Amino acid sequence: MWKVIGSLTTLVGLSLFTLDHLTTASTHKLIVSSDYGQLPLPDDPFHFIPCTKNSIPPALNDIDPSTTWAARFDPDPSHWSWGVHLNESRDDGDYSRRGIYLCGYLDLPMDYHSTSNTRIVRLAVTKYQVSGLARLSSPATSPSLDLRSLPSAGTKSPRTIVVEPGGPGGSGTFKVWSSAEEVSQRFSDGQFDVLGWDPRGVNMSLPPLSCFPHDAQRDRWSLTTQAYRETTADPLRQLSMLDAMNNASFAACKERIGDFGRLVSTATVARDLDEIRKAIGEEEVTGYFISYGTGIAQTYANMFPHRVGRMILDGNEYVRDHRLLGGFGYTALDNVTDAWHDGFLGECLHAGPKSCALAELVVGEADPNALARLQERVEKVIRSLIDRPLPAYDNKNGPSLITYSPLVAAIYEALYRPRMWPDTAQMLYELSQGNTTLAALALEKQWGFDPFTPPTPGKFSDENDLANLVICADSFDAPFEPLAWWEDLWSNMTTQSWIAGNSRFQNVFPCRHFNTYWKMNPKDVYRGDLNTTLKNPLLLISETYDPATPLRNGRRLAEEMGENARLIVHHGYGHSSQWDVSACTERIGRGYILEGQVPEERITECWPDTKPFFPREN
Ligand SMILES: *[C@@H]1O[C@H](CO)[C@@H](O)[C@H](O)[C@H]1NC(C)=O
Ligand SMILES: *[C@@H]1O[C@H](CO)[C@@H](O)[C@H](O)[C@H]1NC(C)=O
Ligand SMILES: *[C@@H]1O[C@H](CO)[C@@H](O)[C@H](O)[C@H]1NC(C)=O
Ligand SMILES: *[C@@H]1O[C@H](CO)[C@@H](O)[C@H](O)[C@H]1NC(C)=O
Ligand SMILES: *[C@@H]1O[C@H](CO)[C@@H](O)[C@H](O)[C@H]1NC(C)=O
Ligand SMILES: *[C@@H]1O[C@H](CO)[C@@H](O)[C@H](O)[C@H]1NC(C)=O
Ligand SMILES: *[C@@H]1O[C@H](CO)[C@@H](O)[C@H](O)[C@H]1NC(C)=O
């Protein structure tokens, strides 16, 4: 299965922070465990303990999960994951002035509307607490600690920024690991905690959700089923095969997970979010919702309007679209071609061959139509793979083929993240010169199964399988259409965007079989208006060149919400505002989260600080 590109997950792999720096504290052993007492605290609904490799939520069939979990508390603070030191030159090893990563879980009803279904979901939760962990002795009695600059050492901040990375299928716990400190800095000058959760059916949350026993089996079938339309002489025959496989996959899902398949809809996740708010102990939600996460936030805001605090929605969906058959797919395509043409290729040409290798293809040609020529030459190389895939080889993976469909998927993924553009341009340039080495490595990343990486402990779910179920549950009451209708849609979508049309189509096509296997309770979807009067306005950020959530979404949403929203039109590249940073967007976001300042204007225009190909990343 081509990874992630089909869904709206914001890829967080390039975050400024890596797990490595979190373990630097392990060299310090000055603190004795008794300083911090025993965790989890008895009244903590999240059961938080300092994260270690063992903090994976207890199994659902564990009859005494609290005891199991308490035994996972490791009292040695040198094993915990501390944040970066607020004053690096004062790194005296006592962990003061360091934030800490806390791991826990929250048990919630699997079905909010059934009295007979008593099963639960156990959501994995991770929190970055900026003030560190409270010691048993109060800071005032410990003269060596200077904690005056902190709100209150070791306790929760006045507001907690809840993060939701999107997908469907993105892991909120991973989002915390990869960017909590950055998010806290960005929106609160490092003053607010950041909390993320794995939504039901995602990553470490339980029960696990996967239609295949193993990722390798999903990959095996994807070789035939995920061929793009351009590569097939007979699209309808290709579609019939994919349709049969979708039917088989949902049948297998039903076998493996039963009615859990209908209990992952966006409205259900919105109810989970309100339970998380209660568990945090705050009156209203403060949060940063990205991509499909904005769909959760829009649904939440209209279901729980009095609980809306300070919620930023970045890279906006327009959830009304998701009620339509195929709407999750075809409404994403507006600006993909602009992002490729004006963005990737246009900025490449503008930057020149020193910063963008691909510009080499038109160098020295004094030609007012250079951009058109560049586009023609690059697309010709890509299209040539339809008839003639290229052989490739690398030491690690052995022989392989550079084929059209996964290469186009890799290009679509790159449009999400401008920071990938220099490397992607290098890869395409070398491909144009007949060197397939970098392309082979790029394609290797598309597989779900990597024989060299051991599976993540505690991860039993698959984000692609979960995404299909969420998307289909949200449009369960759309009409059933014959294959010919879908063939028409496939044709329309790939005509509108050769880069994104295929993968977006594959997101929605399985929905043809959803109602065969699951019967929705209409209460599990939100079908109301989006203009409910909210306690506080939402802050929407939409990007002019977003390849996944076009600006049109943000405009329609802001229009419908009226006084209940403010919109930042972020004139940048990439999916969401975090890749092509604008001081203007940052300032408004911080004022809103930290101070509750709402822009007076309904719409503010912001421009990014830099260009994607400057400086060249080596
Ligand atoms: C950082 O710590 C050092 C050593 O204790 C101290 O001299 C310096 O003033 C501190 N800097 C800040 C910004 O607090
Ligand atoms: C699952 O969560 C763990 C811990 O948060 C994280 O390290 C891992 O990368 C996540 N997996 C995915 C696929 O997001
Ligand atoms: C899905 O597969 C089942 C089992 O083979 C079959 O009975 C059913 O008709 C199929 N559904 C559709 C819509 O093709
Ligand atoms: C994005 O697409 C819309 C059509 O929905 C178009 O009006 C707009 O100009 C496009 N944006 C850019 C930056 O090209
Ligand atoms: C092909 O590209 C790779 C990666 O950039 C490079 O290491 C290698 O030398 C190139 N091969 C040739 C024959 O130029
Ligand atoms: C495909 O596009 C044509 C022309 O715009 C339109 O009439 C038709 O309804 C579309 N089909 C689907 C399934 O969206
Ligand atoms: C929301 O919009 C609808 C029209 O779409 C209108 O009938 C309704 O009164 C509006 N509700 C509020 C609270 O403004």
Side-chain angles (χ1 to χ4, degrees):
M1 186 88 175
W2 320 139
K3 251 195 292 186
V4 185
I5 40 92
S7 63
L8 291 181
T9 307
T10 293
L11 302 145
V12 280
L14 285 191
S15 158
L16 298 176
F17 296 96
T18 67
L19 289 182
D20 295 339
H21 82 276
L22 301 173
T23 55
T24 54
S26 61
T27 51
H28 308 292
K29 308 236 182 225
L30 303 181
I31 300 293
V32 289
S33 58
S34 58
D35 276 11
Y36 298 90
Q38 177 72 35
L39 290 165
L41 298 173
D43 55 352
D44 176 3
F46 292 119
H47 317 272
F48 279 132
I49 59 176
C51 298
T52 65
K53 286 190 191 68
N54 294 326
S55 8
I56 296 159
L60 280 180
N61 62 5
D62 188 328
I63 50 167
D64 189 5
S66 329
T67 304
T68 304
W69 184 248
R72 291 186 188 166
F73 171 59
D74 176 342
D76 183 347
S78 73
H79 296 165
W80 303 349
S81 292
W82 298 88
V84 285
H85 207 286
L86 294 183
N87 179 350
E88 288 297 348
S89 62
R90 197 182 169 279
D91 190 357
D92 49 14
D94 70 356
Y95 307 118
S96 60
R97 291 165 174 255
R98 283 188 173 212
I100 192 165
Y101 288 81
L102 301 172
C103 285
Y105 62 90
L106 184 65
D107 288 346
L108 295 176
M110 180 182 274
D111 185 344
Y112 286 99
H113 301 293
S114 164
T115 45
S116 57
N117 183 352
T118 55
R119 288 176 299 159
I120 59 162
V121 290
R122 177 163 289 158
L123 304 182
V125 180
T126 302
K127 169 174 151 172
Y128 180 67
Q129 185 159 283
V130 293
S131 66
L133 203 58
R135 295 169 192 243
L136 291 181
S137 56
S138 96
T141 64
S142 175
S144 67
L145 299 175
D146 176 13
L147 298 166
R148 277 167 301 187
S149 64
L150 297 175
S152 166
T155 57
K156 79 180 277 302
S157 56
R159 282 174 186 269
T160 304
I161 304 173
V162 177
V163 287
E164 215 302 327
S171 161
T173 61
F174 179 69
K175 180 71 184 164
V176 169
W177 284 110
S178 59
S179 65
E181 294 176 63
E182 184 189 357
V183 166
S184 180
Q185 279 300 334
R186 202 179 158 196
F187 296 126
S188 74
D189 283 333
Q191 296 185 43
F192 292 164
D193 300 341
V194 176
L195 180 145
W197 85 102
D198 288 343
R200 40 177 72 211
V202 174
N203 200 18
M204 311 257 207
S205 285
L206 297 169
L209 189 155
S210 165
C211 311
F212 292 79
H214 200 289
D215 289 343
Q217 293 145 344
R218 198 178 296 98
D219 283 350
R220 185 188 293 169
W221 290 103
S222 72
L223 266 179
T224 37
T225 54
Q226 296 210 310
Y228 281 9
R229 194 170 199 276
E230 295 80 354
T231 65
T232 170
D234 188 343
L236 195 56
R237 185 187 291 173
Q238 170 68 20
L239 204 63
S240 300
M241 183 202 12
L242 177 53
D243 186 59
M245 188 64 197
N246 287 338
N247 189 349
S249 301
F250 271 178
C253 266
K254 183 67 191 283
E255 244 349 270
R256 291 169 61 82
I257 65 169
D259 69 342
F260 187 39
R262 65 172 183 84
L263 296 167
V264 294
S265 64
T266 302
T268 311
V269 175
R271 292 188 195 282
D272 290 342
L273 174 57
D274 202 52
E275 297 303 316
I276 288 167
R277 175 194 65 74
K278 291 178 199 164
I280 295 173
E282 293 180 13
E283 285 295 305
E284 42 182 63
V285 172
T286 302
Y288 182 47
F289 300 85
I290 305 162
S291 185
Y292 161 75
T294 69
I296 298 171
Q298 290 162 35
T299 305
Y300 178 82
N302 286 282
M303 287 170 69
F304 301 94
H306 305 301
R307 298 300 182 183
V308 173
R310 303 172 186 173
M311 296 171 56
I312 294 183
L313 282 61
D314 191 356
N316 273 283
E317 305 278 357
Y318 181 53
V319 278
R320 274 186 192 280
D321 291 344
H322 300 177
R323 302 171 189 177
L324 311 171
L325 193 65
F328 187 93
Y330 68 76
T331 59
L333 303 177
D334 290 42
N335 293 115
V336 190
T337 305
D338 307 321
W340 167 248
H341 178 268
D342 306 1
F344 184 82
L345 296 174
E347 295 291 348
C348 175
L349 189 67
H350 194 243
K354 281 214 176 79
S355 299
C356 175
L358 211 46
E360 202 74 58
L361 293 183
V362 291
V363 84
E365 298 179 22
D367 181 351
N369 295 322
L371 181 54
R373 294 167 65 91
L374 179 62
Q375 177 175 13
E376 187 190 312
R377 287 176 190 179
V378 177
E379 291 182 5
K380 191 172 166 205
V381 172
I382 298 166
R383 269 198 316 274
S384 73
L385 298 171
I386 295 173
D387 290 327
R388 194 168 172 77
L390 292 174
Y393 173 79
D394 76 272
N395 277 335
K396 197 175 159 200
N397 302 295
S400 63
L401 272 184
I402 310 304
T403 56
Y404 178 83
S405 308
L407 185 79
V408 173
I411 291 172
Y412 188 32
E413 182 182 338
L415 293 183
Y416 277 42
R417 293 190 287 175
R419 282 178 221 167
M420 284 178 77
W421 291 5
D423 286 347
T424 306
Q426 182 77 28
M427 179 268 281
L428 290 174
Y429 174 68
E430 292 189 6
L431 187 64
S432 76
Q433 305 304 300
N435 183 337
T436 52
T437 305
L438 293 179
L441 293 172
L443 263 49
E444 202 56 43
K445 294 197 193 109
Q446 303 286 323
W447 295 110
F449 173 67
D450 174 359
F452 299 100
T453 312
T456 316
K459 182 207 178 266
F460 309 107
S461 295
D462 180 77
E463 59 267 32
N464 299 290
D465 295 348
L466 180 276
N468 288 340
L469 291 169
V470 175
I471 292 165
C472 299
D474 284 355
S475 61
F476 83 100
D477 47 1
F480 181 88
E481 294 286 357
L483 271 188
W485 184 91
W486 288 98
E487 211 289 296
D488 198 31
L489 181 68
W490 196 18
S491 165
N492 286 0
M493 287 177 68
T494 48
T495 302
Q496 190 181 350
S497 173
W498 62 271
I499 296 177
N502 282 286
S503 69
R504 290 288 158 187
F505 176 77
Q506 288 165 0
N507 280 156
V508 294
F509 186 44
C511 296
R512 211 167 163 263
H513 299 284
F514 183 81
N515 289 318
T516 307
Y517 299 103
W518 292 280
K519 196 166 159 26
M520 289 291 287
N521 179 340
K523 287 182 191 159
D524 294 329
V525 293
Y526 178 72
R527 288 290 180 260
D529 290 332
L530 303 180
N531 59 354
T532 313
T533 302
L534 308 180
K535 184 176 179 193
N536 293 291
L538 304 182
L539 181 62
L540 314 177
I541 309 175
S542 285
E543 295 68 26
T544 50
Y545 281 102
D546 195 312
T549 50
L551 173 59
R552 190 163 67 93
N553 292 355
R555 289 206 190 281
R556 284 181 297 162
L557 182 62
E559 176 73 21
E560 176 166 0
M561 294 188 71
E563 265 308 310
N564 295 295
R566 300 292 183 277
L567 173 66
I568 296 176
V569 174
H570 181 95
H571 289 257
Y573 298 119
H575 179 36
S576 86
S577 70
Q578 52 192 334
W579 310 112
D580 200 5
V581 175
S582 157
C584 159
T585 303
E586 301 298 290
R587 181 175 42 75
I588 297 170
R590 184 157 45 244
Y592 174 79
I593 294 278
L594 190 57
E595 317 282 357
Q597 291 163 1
V598 176
E600 268 176 40
E601 302 290 320
R602 289 268 187 89
I603 297 178
T604 310
E605 313 271 337
C606 286
W607 275 265
D609 306 337
T610 56
K611 289 281 191 185
F613 285 99
F614 300 111
R616 176 74 182 274
E617 293 171 31
N618 286 310

